[in-house]
Amino acid sequence: MATFYVTPTGSDSNNGTSISTSKLTINGAIQAISSVSYGNGYDQNTVKVYSSASGPATYYGKHASYNSNIINTSQGNKYGTTVIASGPHDVILDCSNKTRGAYLTFYSHISGFIFTASVPSARTTDSTVEAVFGSTQTRIDNCTFDNCTDTDSTCVSPGGDNTRSNRYDPWVKRCTFKNLDCTSAIYSPLNNVGIFESILIYDSTFDFQAVYYHGHSTDYGIVRHITIDGCTMGREAIESSKADIQNCIVSNCAVNSSFRFYDVLNSAEVDNCLAYNNTTVSGNFFSTGDTRNNCKLDDPSYTDRAGKDFTLTSGSPAKNTGLAPSVGSLGSGLGSVFDLNSASFDASNPSMGAYKFIAAAPSPTPVTVTFTLRGGSFNFKGNDNSFTIKG
C-alpha cells in the first residue's frame, strides 16, 4: 500500500510520494500507482489531493494523456484506489468540457470533493461520477455536486455488486446535490446491493427520478435519510424497486401527474418518511397499494430553508421520529446499523432526513466575580479590553 500526493504547485514529473515531490494532476498520481491486485482490491493505495495552504484549489484534469476525466481509476485498472480531498480548504474539480468528473473501476473510493462547472454550458457530457460497469463496487462520500452535469446525463451512476460484503459495501453517503438540471441525481444499476444514506438534494430539476435504487432480488440494500427540497421531477422523487425507503423527507417539490413522490415495488415499504407541500395534479404522495408505516404530511420545520440550512428545529415532527432498524432486518453482513460518520446518525431514535437533530447550545451563564481591593493596583487585560484600578 502506498500514498501519493497532489498539490497545486506539484509537477507530474515528480514521483508523487511526498508533499515535497507531489504531482500536479490527480491522474498523474493515479497512474504512478504500480502495485494493484483485483483479488485483494480493497483500499490498496491512496491519493491525497490538497488545496493551497491559504485557500481553495481547483483541479481541471490537465494530465497530458487522461484529461477527459479528472479522476480516472479505470485507466490501467487501478483497483482499490482511494482518492481523497485532504484540505485544509476546499478542493474543487472543474468539470467544464470534461467527459466525467470521475470514472471509477472496482473498489474505487472518492471523498470530499466539490464537483462543479465554471462554464455552465460545458458541463460533463456523461455522468459526472460513473462506475465502469454496473457490478463495479465503488464508494462516493462527503462530496458536493453543484451544476456539473449535462441535461441528458445522470449526476452519479454508482456501481454495486449483487451481494453484500463485510469488507466492501458500495455506497453513496453524506453527499449534497444542488442546482442540477439533468436526468437524475443518483440512478443505480440493476441488481446492485449498496447503501444510499445521508443525502441532501435541493433546487434542482430532473427528467426522471431524483433518486432511483434498483436492488438485488434477495439482498436489497439500504435507502434512508434522504432530504429532497425545492426540486422538480419528471418521475418520482425517490423510487426503490426492492429496498425499503426509510427516514426520508420530500418537501416543496413537484412531480409529473403520472408519478408519485415516494414509490416502491416488489413488496418494499415506505417507512417513517415525510412529504410536505409537494404539488402534483393527482394530489397523491404515495402510489396506491404501497405499504406505508408512520409517514407524515407535516411541515418538517427546517432551521433556515431560505438559507439552505436543512437541519431540524426542536419542534420538527421529523425530530427523532425515524425508524431505528435492527441489524437482523438488514442482513448479517451489514456491520454497524448506522454509519457513525453520517449526518443522520443519532444514538437514540434517528430523525428523518439527511441531518440528525442537533440541540442548540445553551446560552452561556453570565459570570459574576466579587473582589475587594485594599491598596495596591489591579490590572486586567483580555479580548482587546483592559482597565486598571488603583487604590
Side-chain angles (χ1 to χ4, degrees), residues 51-209:
S51 67
S52 68
S54 58
T58 301
Y59 292 84
Y60 302 91
K62 291 183 177 179
H63 189 280
S65 300
Y66 312 118
N67 61 359
S68 62
N69 304 294
I70 304 175
I71 299 173
N72 189 341
T73 62
S74 72
Q75 191 71 39
N77 292 324
K78 304 299 183 179
Y79 306 119
T81 299
T82 294
V83 186
I84 183 169
S86 299
H89 303 283
D90 288 342
V91 179
I92 301 165
L93 305 186
D94 190 342
C95 298
S96 299
N97 295 301
K98 300 301 175 188
T99 303
R100 307 173 189 85
Y103 196 36
L104 306 177
T105 191
F106 289 90
Y107 314 122
S108 296
H109 179 192
I110 59 172
S111 182
F113 295 99
I114 298 173
F115 292 82
T116 190
S118 62
V119 182
S121 61
R123 296 167 292 184
T124 57
T125 56
D126 212 320
S127 297
T128 297
V129 175
E130 183 176 357
V132 175
F133 305 111
S135 60
T136 302
Q137 293 170 295
T138 60
R139 291 178 173 176
I140 301 112
D141 53 45
N142 302 307
C143 290
T144 296
F145 300 88
D146 184 1
N147 191 32
C148 52
T149 311
D150 180 73
T151 55
D152 295 326
S153 300
T154 294
C155 186
V156 173
S157 296
D161 207 348
N162 60 4
T163 58
R164 173 168 288 126
S165 167
N166 284 324
R167 292 186 63 190
Y168 205 95
D169 271 341
W171 64 52
V172 181
K173 295 185 180 184
R174 305 182 298 277
C175 288
T176 297
F177 299 80
K178 60 182 180 178
N179 307 317
L180 296 172
D181 182 2
C182 57
T183 56
S184 295
I186 311 171
Y187 198 99
S188 76
L190 299 178
N191 299 318
N192 64 304
V193 177
I195 301 170
F196 294 177
E197 181 179 56
S198 294
I199 294 165
L200 172 64
I201 304 170
Y202 66 89
D203 294 353
S204 296
T205 299
F206 304 107
D207 293 339
F208 300 142
Q209 300 89 345

Side-chain angles (χ1 to χ4, degrees), residues 8-348:
T9 57
S11 170
D12 280 354
S13 63
N14 292 335
N15 61 21
T17 58
S18 68
I19 289 289
S20 61
T21 60
S22 59
K23 295 283 188 177
L24 176 63
T25 69
I26 298 172
N27 283 329
I30 292 172
Q31 294 308 312
I33 294 171
S34 59
S35 177
V36 294
S37 169
Y38 177 77
N40 296 310
Y42 313 102
D43 305 322
Q44 293 188 71
N45 296 283
T46 299
V47 174
K48 292 187 175 183
V49 186
Y50 289 88
S51 67
S52 68
S54 58
T58 301
Y59 292 84
Y60 302 91
K62 291 183 177 179
H63 189 280
S65 300
Y66 312 118
N67 61 359
S68 62
N69 304 294
I70 304 175
I71 299 173
N72 189 341
T73 62
S74 72
Q75 191 71 39
N77 292 324
K78 304 299 183 179
Y79 306 119
T81 299
T82 294
V83 186
I84 183 169
S86 299
H89 303 283
D90 288 342
V91 179
I92 301 165
L93 305 186
D94 190 342
C95 298
S96 299
N97 295 301
K98 300 301 175 188
T99 303
R100 307 173 189 85
Y103 196 36
L104 306 177
T105 191
F106 289 90
Y107 314 122
S108 296
H109 179 192
I110 59 172
S111 182
F113 295 99
I114 298 173
F115 292 82
T116 190
S118 62
V119 182
S121 61
R123 296 167 292 184
T124 57
T125 56
D126 212 320
S127 297
T128 297
V129 175
E130 183 176 357
V132 175
F133 305 111
S135 60
T136 302
Q137 293 170 295
T138 60
R139 291 178 173 176
I140 301 112
D141 53 45
N142 302 307
C143 290
T144 296
F145 300 88
D146 184 1
N147 191 32
C148 52
T149 311
D150 180 73
T151 55
D152 295 326
S153 300
T154 294
C155 186
V156 173
S157 296
D161 207 348
N162 60 4
T163 58
R164 173 168 288 126
S165 167
N166 284 324
R167 292 186 63 190
Y168 205 95
D169 271 341
W171 64 52
V172 181
K173 295 185 180 184
R174 305 182 298 277
C175 288
T176 297
F177 299 80
K178 60 182 180 178
N179 307 317
L180 296 172
D181 182 2
C182 57
T183 56
S184 295
I186 311 171
Y187 198 99
S188 76
L190 299 178
N191 299 318
N192 64 304
V193 177
I195 301 170
F196 294 177
E197 181 179 56
S198 294
I199 294 165
L200 172 64
I201 304 170
Y202 66 89
D203 294 353
S204 296
T205 299
F206 304 107
D207 293 339
F208 300 142
Q209 300 89 345
V211 175
Y212 175 76
Y213 185 94
H214 191 276
H216 188 259
S217 59
T218 57
D219 204 351
Y220 304 142
I222 297 169
V223 179
R224 63 187 178 195
H225 294 290
I226 298 171
T227 295
I228 303 176
D229 185 86
C231 295
T232 300
M233 279 72 60
R235 297 185 180 178
E236 297 84 0
I238 305 175
E239 181 180 5
S240 175
S241 178
K242 299 179 177 71
D244 294 344
I245 301 172
Q246 299 177 340
N247 304 344
C248 295
I249 298 175
V250 178
S251 56
N252 307 298
C253 290
V255 300
N256 183 284
S257 61
S258 300
F259 298 93
R260 307 293 182 263
F261 291 93
Y262 294 98
D263 197 2
V264 288
L265 304 172
N266 300 303
S267 301
E269 299 179 356
V270 181
D271 298 325
N272 296 66
C273 290
L274 184 150
Y276 174 73
N277 197 36
N278 299 304
T279 57
T280 176
V281 174
S282 66
N284 295 322
F285 293 160
F286 307 95
S287 287
T288 302
D290 281 354
T291 300
R292 304 189 298 274
N293 299 293
N294 304 313
C295 290
K296 299 175 180 288
L297 301 176
D298 304 312
D299 186 340
S301 189
Y302 299 124
T303 298
D304 182 9
R305 179 174 180 259
K308 312 308 176 187
D309 181 353
F310 294 96
T311 56
L312 305 173
T313 65
S314 59
S316 170
K319 172 192 169 186
N320 301 131
T321 55
L323 179 68
S326 65
V327 172
S329 69
L330 298 173
S332 59
L334 176 63
S336 298
V337 174
F338 286 98
D339 172 9
L340 296 179
N341 293 319
S342 282
S344 56
F345 175 78
D346 199 306
S348 59

